[in-house]
Amino acid sequence: MFKLKKSFWAKRFLALVAATILTSGAIFPLIVSNVSATSGLLTARSVEMSTSQVSASDIYQIGFTIATTGVVQGIDVDFCSGTTSPIIGETCTKPTGFSLGTYQVATSGGANTGLTGTWVPASIQSGQTLELSDATGGSLTSGASIIFTLGGTGTAPTNTSTLGTFYVRILTFATPTLAAAYTSGTPGTYIDGGGVALSTANQLTITAKVQEQLTFCIDTNGATSCGSASGTTVLLGDAQDVLSTTFPAVSNAAEYIVQTNAGSGAAIRMSGCTLYIGGNCSGISIASTTTGATSSPGSSQFGMCSYGVTGYTTNLSITTAYNQGGNCSTITPDAGGTLTSGAAGSATFAFQAATTGTFGDQIGTESAGSQGIAYLAFLGNASASQQEGTYATTLTFIATGTF
């Protein structure tokens, strides 16, 4: 009896196994029936993003190469979250925070190629999938390259708010109806298809600092940069530094050099007094050309004008009082200590007061950018009654940047 029972149950077990195999074979086609058995694989698939920043407005350029020759009237571009997959036929969900925007699509011109006619964009699957359809779509040949752009006008698409990988599925259809009926889990009958992996990423922040800069110097050696500037003495007069009652003494040996990155530029000011015996700004002096005057030999005069050095005037401006109409450049500086009648030209020389005040008198400005250089031209005349002596002054030049 024991052997008979064993044989009986063995037969029952084999029968159940056979039934199970048959049942499985019947179910298997149902599992894969959502995927078209005759579809081709799109090659050279790509989705180029204008930015990988999460939640950012983006532009997607979608490209692929046709596998199957035939009439194409519909294209679907399905966006899937990173927790699903790019495999067509598997259910996928819309990436968190993703939006098609107003799904403006460029299908011709520029980098967009391969599609002719009028392709109408639409949103299906609650904004997860872009559908393009053209009821008059023509035949596309195997190997044809297709490129079109989603975004760029209207409201741009918005990247997923999730950092990392997400996916795109691309499918072509023979009719607009088939394209419109598409769902991620039930793609229906399509011609060609394929998936693409994309990723959002953290943005790299690069920080660099630019310091406030102001370069300023005075020199008498004709330097073209402060690094080579030297000299602080101007000798005004003939070969023995003597002023004349007949000819003007004019020197442009001094200059200033200035450069800044200050947003509102730099102001150059002069502070000091006219020529005094002993140079201590008190006692007997040579009168300053207070509000501006041309040279008048035989009169006691001390003044200054200024003009830019050729090639260094792009950002430099001289205050009008010290270069009226650009006439300071008409001077002919004394050469070899020899005074001449026309040395002062038509220049107007100014020195705003006996002393120029606490912060000085503005003589020029320099805007941000390239270096500026300006000559400082001084005039000296003596009257017949000017008391003898050695006259001097010390002038202070100040550059102040407004940042």
Side-chain angles (χ1 to χ4, degrees):
M1 291 296 291
F2 178 79
K3 289 182 179 180
L4 286 174
K5 287 182 178 180
K6 181 177 181 182
S7 175
F8 173 78
W9 288 113
K11 290 178 180 179
R12 292 284 294 174
F13 174 76
L14 292 174
L16 286 171
V17 169
T20 301
I21 292 173
L22 289 173
T23 304
S24 298
I27 292 174
F28 184 72
L30 296 177
I31 294 175
V32 299
S33 64
N34 290 337
V35 180
S36 175
T38 60
S39 63
L41 179 65
L42 296 170
T43 58
R45 303 181 304 278
S46 68
V47 178
E48 189 169 336
M49 306 164 67
S50 65
T51 177
S52 62
Q53 184 177 358
V54 295
S55 303
S57 295
D58 206 342
I59 298 173
Y60 300 100
Q61 183 170 279
I62 296 128
F64 53 88
T65 298
I66 292 292
T68 304
T69 297
V71 174
V72 175
Q73 295 183 352
I75 300 172
D76 283 352
V77 181
D78 191 13
F79 289 82
C80 301
S81 71
T83 58
T84 53
S85 85
I87 298 175
I88 294 173
E90 294 187 0
T91 300
C92 81
T93 56
K94 183 168 70 171
T96 303
F98 171 78
S99 171
L100 287 173
T102 53
Y103 41 90
Q104 299 291 323
V105 176
T107 56
S108 63
N112 306 296
T113 59
L115 294 177
T116 58
T118 303
W119 290 82
V120 179
S123 169
I124 60 176
Q125 292 203 108
S126 301
Q128 176 178 328
T129 305
L130 170 72
E131 177 208 345
L132 289 180
S133 62
D134 183 356
T136 61
S139 178
L140 293 177
T141 305
S142 175
S145 178
I146 305 297
I147 300 174
F148 58 89
T149 302
L150 169 61
T153 58
T155 302
T158 302
N159 281 344
T160 174
S161 57
T162 302
L163 190 66
T165 302
F166 65 106
Y167 303 104
V168 166
R169 303 174 184 179
I170 306 169
L171 305 94
T172 63
F173 296 88
T175 67
T177 301
L178 290 172
Y182 168 86
T183 65
S184 299
T186 310
T189 301
Y190 61 94
I191 302 171
D192 295 329
V196 177
L198 298 85
S199 182
T200 53
N202 287 323
Q203 306 304 291
L204 183 64
T205 300
I206 300 172
T207 301
K209 298 178 181 179
V210 175
Q211 295 186 143
E212 294 83 351
Q213 299 177 37
L214 176 63
T215 301
F216 182 66
C217 61
I218 298 287
D219 70 82
T220 58
N221 70 329
T224 57
S225 69
C226 285
S228 59
S230 65
T232 58
T233 301
V234 175
L235 301 177
L236 194 58
D238 62 15
Q240 285 74 46
D241 311 324
V242 176
L243 297 181
S244 169
T245 59
T246 306
F247 301 121
V250 179
S251 171
N252 71 341
E255 66 176 20
Y256 66 80
I257 301 173
V258 61
Q259 187 172 15
T260 186
N261 66 350
S264 297
I268 299 90
R269 295 179 175 270
M270 174 184 66
S271 176
C273 61
T274 189
L275 296 170
Y276 280 86
I277 290 178
N280 56 5
C281 292
S282 63
I284 298 172
S285 66
I286 294 177
S288 63
T289 53
T290 308
T291 58
T294 57
S295 173
S296 178
S299 302
S300 292
Q301 289 181 307
F302 174 72
M304 188 194 82
C305 67
S306 181
Y307 62 101
V309 175
T310 301
Y312 298 93
T313 60
T314 301
N315 299 310
L316 182 67
S317 177
I318 307 299
T319 302
T320 300
Y322 290 94
N323 191 18
Q324 295 186 17
N327 59 20
C328 187
S329 61
T330 65
I331 66 169
T332 306
D334 306 332
T338 301
L339 303 184
T340 60
S341 61
S346 62
T348 299
F349 298 85
F351 204 92
Q352 293 296 325
T355 59
T356 53
T358 302
F359 299 105
D361 189 27
Q362 183 167 301
I363 62 173
T365 59
E366 172 79 359
S367 59
S370 61
Q371 176 179 267
I373 305 178
Y375 289 117
L376 301 169
F378 294 96
L379 167 72
N381 279 315
S383 68
S385 61
Q386 185 71 46
Q387 183 173 320
E388 80 284 355
T390 299
Y391 291 77
T393 186
T394 298
L395 300 180
T396 299
F397 293 84
I398 308 158
T400 303
T402 303
F403 292 91

